[in-house]
Amino acid sequence: TLNLLVYTVGFHDILKDVFSHCDDKAELIACVWAGYFSISENTLKSTFKSEFLGILGDQRETDLFLAKRIDELTATKRELAATHDTLNVTLAELTAKTGQADQLMVKHRQLASVVQQEQASRKHVQQKYFA
């Protein structure tokens, strides 16, 4: 509002000059005030436009930044979804292999039991017939 201050000082100087040379001061002051208000209004509109355009420009920059950020996050989301799918496949494979390992462990225990029984039977036969 430095412009408004300049206009105010100018208005005051004009009033001094005009009143010193005019007989119909009431009509003259009404015209001067109308001009002053017009100038003030235009100054405020111009300032408002400048501020509004500045805000609008800032908003555009923000919108562009947010759009870029949304694109980045969307790409990251896609990458994470692909990684998730890969991990699910790997988990399924490992689960299947774990099931196979469990089955092998059961067979191993069964075979170990049969071997123990056979060893016990041999020992018994050796003691009975060769002792």
Side-chain angles (χ1 to χ4, degrees), residues 4 7-8 11 31-41:
L4 192 57
Y7 290 135
T8 303
F11 174 71
C31 291
V32 171
W33 270 112
Y36 176 75
F37 284 135
S38 176
I39 291 170
S40 296
E41 186 176 343

Side-chain angles (χ1 to χ4, degrees), residues 83-129:
T83 302
H84 181 264
D85 292 343
T86 302
L87 289 173
N88 277 337
V89 168
T90 304
L91 178 63
E93 291 171 354
L94 291 174
T95 301
K97 287 179 182 180
T98 302
Q100 292 171 354
D102 289 345
Q103 290 173 355
L104 289 174
M105 289 296 289
V106 168
K107 285 183 181 180
H108 178 271
R109 285 188 196 116
Q110 289 172 346
L111 288 174
S113 175
V114 169
V115 167
Q116 283 178 348
Q117 288 173 0
E118 286 294 323
Q119 286 175 347
S121 178
R122 269 191 200 166
K123 190 176 184 181
H124 177 67
V125 168
Q126 284 177 353
Q127 287 176 352
K128 187 174 180 180
Y129 295 107

Side-chain angles (χ1 to χ4, degrees), residues 15 20 25 29-30 32 46 48-49 55 59 66 69 71 73 75 84 88 90 99 103 107-108 118 124:
L15 280 179
S20 67
K25 293 179 182 172
I29 199 165
V32 171
S46 173
F48 174 76
K49 276 185 185 176
I55 291 169
Q59 184 62 44
L66 290 176
R69 190 69 180 126
D71 291 344
L73 291 173
H84 181 264
N88 277 337
T90 304
Q103 290 173 355
K107 285 183 181 180
H108 178 271
E118 286 294 323
H124 177 67

